Amino acid sequence: MKWAAAVALILLALPACREVDDTIYMHYHDVPRSGWDMSRPMNFEAFPADSSYIGTPTRMELLVRYLESQPIAEIPVLASVEDDNGDIVSDTLRLKLFGPEGRPLDRPKFGIAEHVVHLLDHYRLRPGLSVNLIPLAPANASKGLLNIGVRLAKDADRSMPPKSSLPTKHKD
């Protein structure tokens, strides 16, 4: 009887321990070992499988995975976000992944680090969302990058001020 009560208590406590995943879209593109060439832009059709998220406040993040063992200088990247209405937001991002001492700015796990850049906050998701990324440096400047991804997540905390890297001149 004690064993059954213990199991019931554990089963009731499990939902309280779960981590909430607010991701509604995530996709990665691999970067060739030779580096990310300017002639190979990355295009993401950033639209979730469930269309019920249209109109939902979201945040958009750029996820950059890189090798801890291969220091990279700052990489300029032209980032453009466009929707079906033709509304475009674009800017040049500067991906700084390593500090002056050659250590990754992000905590590595098993030799791989992941850097998150907030592209847009408090963005009302609209149909036809696409993200285009073009490196503005030669391919050898990005050797050590593994892959680059885009993540859309529900933006539940509207009390926080936006920390977007792209200009926020978009319509709600």
Side-chain angles (χ1 to χ4, degrees):
M1 187 65 159
K2 288 182 184 180
W3 186 80
V7 170
L9 185 61
I10 290 171
L11 289 176
L12 288 173
L14 284 177
C17 296
R18 79 176 178 93
E19 182 178 320
V20 176
D21 185 9
D22 58 357
T23 301
I24 56 177
Y25 169 89
M26 185 166 36
H27 185 76
Y28 285 88
H29 288 296
D30 289 332
V31 175
R33 285 183 175 219
S34 59
W36 187 17
D37 189 73
M38 293 164 46
S39 66
R40 297 186 62 174
M42 290 186 184
N43 301 307
F44 298 86
E45 298 302 319
F47 195 72
D50 186 351
S51 62
S52 69
Y53 288 113
I54 292 178
T56 300
T58 58
R59 69 180 181 276
M60 182 184 297
E61 299 168 333
L62 183 68
L63 309 170
V64 182
R65 292 181 181 157
Y66 60 98
L67 293 173
E68 167 190 23
S69 61
Q70 199 162 354
I72 302 170
E74 185 176 271
I75 303 169
V77 176
L78 177 62
S80 300
V81 178
E82 183 175 359
D83 64 19
D84 270 355
N85 294 336
D87 294 334
I88 301 174
V89 178
S90 65
D91 203 356
T92 301
L93 306 175
R94 303 210 172 271
L95 299 180
K96 183 173 179 166
L97 307 174
F98 288 85
E101 68 286 343
R103 291 193 186 131
L105 297 177
D106 307 284
R107 184 178 172 164
K109 294 178 185 171
F110 306 106
I112 297 172
E114 182 174 79
H115 187 69
V116 178
V117 178
H118 295 275
L119 295 178
L120 293 172
D121 284 326
H122 312 316
Y123 175 80
R124 290 207 177 273
L125 187 59
R126 291 185 294 226
L129 189 63
S130 65
V131 179
N132 301 300
L133 304 170
I134 302 171
L136 301 176
N140 63 355
S142 60
K143 286 183 181 177
L145 288 182
L146 297 174
N147 51 43
I148 297 177
V150 169
R151 177 180 185 252
L152 291 176
K154 291 183 274 186
D155 196 2
D157 190 1
R158 297 191 53 87
S159 65
M160 296 294 295
K163 53 187 170 197
S164 304
S165 295
L166 295 176
T168 55
K169 296 179 182 174
H170 56 275
K171 301 174 194 169
D172 269 342

